[in-house]
Amino acid sequence: MEENDRVSRIQEEWRRERPEIDVGPQGIIGRLHRLAAYLTAELTVVYERHGLGEGEFDVLASLRRAGAPFERAPGELAQHTMVTTGAMTKRLDRLCEAGLVVRRQIDGDKRRRLAALTPRGIEVIDAAFAEHMANEQRLIERVPPSDRQLLEVILKEWLQQFESPAHG
């Protein structure tokens, strides 16, 4: 690994200009931020090959994970994908137009609806997910096998601190 990467150079400049401020956290946060941008770019290439954006992939994946009959209420989908219900409506509109999802009423109640995968939607998400996981495997291979489990534990514990009810 390059000893003086971009984040290290930024930290050096801040240490010179503001020596009274500890810029140590920037070494972790800055690298995570940059890494997330690189990973997102690598992941979205796969979604695009299947005619999907990141949001559409998330919706289809959430429906597929629900198990047969592969349906969820829009509010539940919004929670699973961490977007507003308004954003979810737009995503569902696009997926319905593409023939990947249908909306149906729940037991004749016009106020309550479900979104469900169509047979074509199942085909698309199954193919996209298989390629997505192969892509993630390719990306994670850049981390030495001996470090992967520890990295997962560290990230899981850190993320739980933000996602716990006490944080909200």
Side-chain angles (χ1 to χ4, degrees), residues 1 3 12 20 35 68 81 87 97 103 118 124 143 152 159 166:
M1 181 172 83
E3 201 164 311
E12 287 172 11
E20 76 281 9
L35 182 59
T81 58
E97 288 173 22
R103 290 184 175 114
T118 64
V124 168
V143 177
E152 184 175 0
L159 183 59

Side-chain angles (χ1 to χ4, degrees), residues 99-116:
L100 303 176
V101 170
V102 293
R103 290 184 175 114
R104 69 173 186 81
Q105 292 177 356
I106 300 174
D107 301 326
D109 183 345
K110 292 182 181 181
R111 294 169 295 160
R112 295 183 53 210
R113 299 178 77 172
L114 290 175

Side-chain angles (χ1 to χ4, degrees), residues 2 43 58 63 116 131 152 160:
E2 185 182 338
L43 296 174
D58 285 347
L63 289 169
E131 187 178 346
E152 184 175 0
Q160 284 175 338

Side-chain angles (χ1 to χ4, degrees), residues 11-117:
Q11 286 178 292
E12 287 172 11
E13 291 171 353
W14 277 120
R15 283 185 185 109
R16 182 190 70 231
E17 295 301 315
R18 297 293 308 270
E20 76 281 9
I21 296 176
D22 177 12
V23 296
Q26 197 174 42
I28 295 171
I29 302 294
R31 287 183 180 93
L32 281 173
H33 184 73
R34 291 179 54 75
L35 182 59
Y38 285 120
L39 291 175
T40 298
E42 294 279 339
L43 296 174
T44 56
V45 168
V46 170
Y47 310 147
E48 290 166 3
R49 274 200 288 269
H50 295 272
L52 304 170
E54 192 172 15
E56 288 82 10
F57 178 89
D58 285 347
V59 172
L60 295 178
S62 181
L63 289 169
R64 183 65 172 90
R65 288 192 318 267
F70 311 114
E71 59 188 24
R72 294 184 195 258
E76 186 182 2
L77 281 170
Q79 288 178 333
H80 280 265
T81 58
M82 296 182 286
V83 298
T84 66
T85 54
M88 181 54 60
T89 297
K90 290 178 183 176
R91 288 180 183 179
L92 288 172
D93 288 346
R94 288 190 298 266
L95 291 166
C96 286
E97 288 173 22
L100 303 176
V101 170
V102 293
R103 290 184 175 114
R104 69 173 186 81
Q105 292 177 356
I106 300 174
D107 301 326
D109 183 345
K110 292 182 181 181
R111 294 169 295 160
R112 295 183 53 210
R113 299 178 77 172
L114 290 175
L117 288 175

Side-chain angles (χ1 to χ4, degrees), residues 5-6 17 54 74 151 154 166:
D5 65 353
R6 179 181 245 171
E17 295 301 315
E54 192 172 15
L151 180 59
I154 291 168

